[in-house]
Amino acid sequence: MKKRKLGTQGLEVPVLGLGCMGMTFAYGTGSDANECLKVLERSLELGMNFWDTAQSYGPYTNEELLSKVLAGRRNKVIVATKFAWQNGIAKPENLDGSEANARTSLEGCLRRLGTDYVDIYYLHRKDPNRPIEETVAAMGKLVKEGKARYIGLSEVGPNTLRKAHAVHPISVLQSEYSLWENNLEEKVIPILRELGIGLVAFSPVGRGFLTGQIKQYEDIPANDMRRNLPRFQGENFNINIQLVEAVTKIAASKGLTASQAALAWVLSRGENVVAIPGTTRIKHLEENAKAAEVPLSTSELDQIKNLLVQFKISGNRYNEAMAKMVTAD
Ligand SMILES: NC(=O)c1ccc[n+]([C@@H]2O[C@H](COP(=O)([O-])OP(=O)(O)OC[C@H]3O[C@@H](n4cnc5c(N)ncnc54)[C@H](OP(=O)(O)O)[C@@H]3O)[C@@H](O)[C@H]2O)c1
């Protein structure tokens, strides 16, 4: 697996990591823990040894699951985890970017993961009642103490990035970026380039939508959070599926699946960009891994660019409660 250097502090990761959220959280309740453990193991064989977890995925159970495969192999994996919410429950009123929460949360993450350091410690969402400088200074102390190697932020905008980076170097921003989500392009990506910060693209296959495997709203399990996202609902779904169908045709002409084309597109966006597709299945993991080996040609990228103009995505990516926790500034 190819690697990329992100940020100015020496972090190097494979271009495709493994998003672990769906193993215990968000997408249905049907994931098979044994298969997830095999997915984690296989990710190491494929060189996708960059695992993305968070305190809130469960809460807590995701890190506990990862610890089972991490044991005895700590130096073979780049582990990224996140904090933000008291009790790990992702609600606006639980956001707490205090030094005390940064520290206590990391102690909990380390205990659950069974390790004495994480590679990347992210602030999952900014606390709206606290200056970013205060939270990042607290995270910087944890780096100095050797409990985290690098710092990342998630879902914050250009001014927040600039203020944070002035306090302690931010190695990566983790935000949503894919064929159907381009909110970073105008203001955030230029700042990342200016400051030398890497981008870890989350939901790079559109929470499954861009894989072409979700053909109708009813395909989403009843207890799955995607049912609450506007882009998956009603007329929006019918409009948005047209982009997926068109991308699938271009992908097929090159012997690729829609997922592989979606991932190859994200990786084509710059040397400071990597992606963390999420999966709970070996078959999908192996399919996704191949996307790192098949760069899209200029002509295919041009065709996709035209599709993005032709098929405008309809509906917000988040519902109101989730959107409230994004820091656009
Ligand atoms: N920082 C944040 O706030 C934030 C927010 C969201 C996500 N994340 C991180 O980013 C990671 C990835 O994002 P995500 O999981 O939301 O979205 P994603 O990677 O775009 O999509 C994951 C979904 O796509 C399906 N999938 C993946 N590869 C597939 C393939 N080749 N064929 C068919 N289906 C496929 C998965 O189902 P199967 O399990 O069946 O493969 C899963 O339902 C998460 O795991 C998490 O670590 C971070």
Side-chain angles (χ1 to χ4, degrees):
M1 177 74 52
K2 278 180 275 181
K3 293 179 181 170
R4 285 182 177 165
K5 290 193 165 76
L6 303 180
T8 56
Q9 302 299 295
L11 174 64
E12 189 177 50
V13 298
V15 291
L16 293 175
L18 173 60
C20 300
M21 178 178 78
M23 294 181 178
T24 59
F25 186 67
Y27 303 149
T29 52
S31 73
D32 170 345
N34 282 331
E35 170 114 10
C36 290
L37 293 174
K38 286 185 193 146
V39 167
L40 288 161
E41 280 174 11
R42 185 77 180 115
S43 75
L44 303 185
E45 292 164 3
L46 293 167
M48 299 166 91
N49 60 330
F50 175 30
W51 295 350
D52 190 77
T53 181
Q55 183 190 44
S56 60
Y57 300 162
Y60 307 133
T61 47
N62 205 269
E63 293 171 327
E64 287 163 0
L65 183 80
L66 269 49
S67 74
K68 296 186 182 160
V69 181
L70 198 59
R73 302 179 168 119
R74 178 63 190 92
N75 63 357
K76 294 195 163 49
V77 191
I78 300 159
V79 181
T81 194
K82 321 184 190 78
F83 84 103
W85 296 280
Q86 286 281 354
N87 307 321
I89 310 280
K91 290 183 178 167
E93 60 272 28
N94 289 353
L95 279 169
D96 180 357
S98 66
E99 176 166 355
N101 192 38
R103 183 171 290 280
T104 320
S105 295
L106 183 54
E107 280 160 11
C109 297
L110 296 179
R111 195 178 56 248
R112 288 185 292 278
L113 285 162
T115 180
D116 53 6
Y117 71 96
V118 291
D119 295 278
I120 306 175
Y121 192 40
Y122 285 105
L123 177 64
H124 211 154
R125 293 290 183 277
K126 181 184 172 295
D127 177 349
N129 300 315
R130 204 174 290 272
I132 190 67
E133 290 91 334
E134 183 183 329
T135 308
V136 169
M139 295 167 77
K141 282 189 194 168
L142 298 168
V143 173
K144 287 199 184 76
E145 291 168 23
K147 292 177 179 152
R149 293 178 67 214
Y150 305 98
I151 291 181
L153 302 177
S154 180
E155 296 276 33
V156 299
N159 288 326
T160 305
L161 278 165
R162 201 181 277 291
K163 286 186 211 162
H165 196 65
V167 174
H168 186 99
I170 303 298
S171 291
V172 278
L173 173 76
Q174 179 178 135
S175 284
E176 185 167 357
Y177 190 47
S178 69
L179 281 172
W180 80 342
E181 185 46 57
N182 67 0
N183 79 81
L184 305 179
E185 288 189 352
E186 195 187 336
K187 292 185 180 150
V188 174
I189 288 180
I191 291 278
L192 296 181
R193 289 215 182 93
E194 182 195 322
L195 300 178
I197 298 175
L199 174 61
V200 175
F202 81 65
S203 301
V205 293
R207 298 182 185 269
F209 193 82
L210 300 170
T211 70
Q213 300 300 306
I214 303 174
K215 303 210 183 298
Q216 52 181 356
Y217 181 78
E218 290 69 29
D219 291 343
I220 306 169
N223 54 356
D224 188 304
M225 61 90 82
R226 289 170 290 193
R227 284 196 167 224
N228 301 319
L229 301 180
R231 229 166 245 194
F232 287 85
Q233 295 169 335
E235 192 47 23
N236 291 337
F237 189 107
N238 300 333
I239 292 171
N240 297 335
I241 202 74
Q242 294 176 57
L243 171 68
V244 180
E245 287 162 1
V247 170
T248 304
K249 277 192 197 142
I250 294 180
S253 72
K254 203 182 169 175
L256 302 178
T257 64
S259 318
Q260 289 168 333
L263 291 171
W265 182 87
V266 171
L267 298 184
S268 77
R269 305 304 289 165
E271 284 299 309
N272 66 333
V273 182
V274 301
I276 46 166
T279 185
T280 57
R281 291 170 219 271
I282 299 267
K283 179 172 174 275
H284 293 165
L285 181 82
E286 291 177 343
E287 178 185 325
N288 294 346
K290 290 195 188 120
E293 295 157 20
V294 280
L296 296 170
S297 66
T298 311
S299 123
E300 287 147 359
L301 288 168
D302 283 346
Q303 287 177 57
I304 289 179
K305 195 168 148 199
N306 291 338
L307 294 181
L308 297 179
V309 175
Q310 192 183 344
F311 299 106
K312 287 261 170 277
I313 292 302
S314 180
N316 294 331
R317 65 191 177 111
Y318 282 142
N319 59 32
E320 221 175 295
M322 293 172 82
K324 255 191 205 160
M325 292 190 282
V326 171
T327 303
D329 178 42

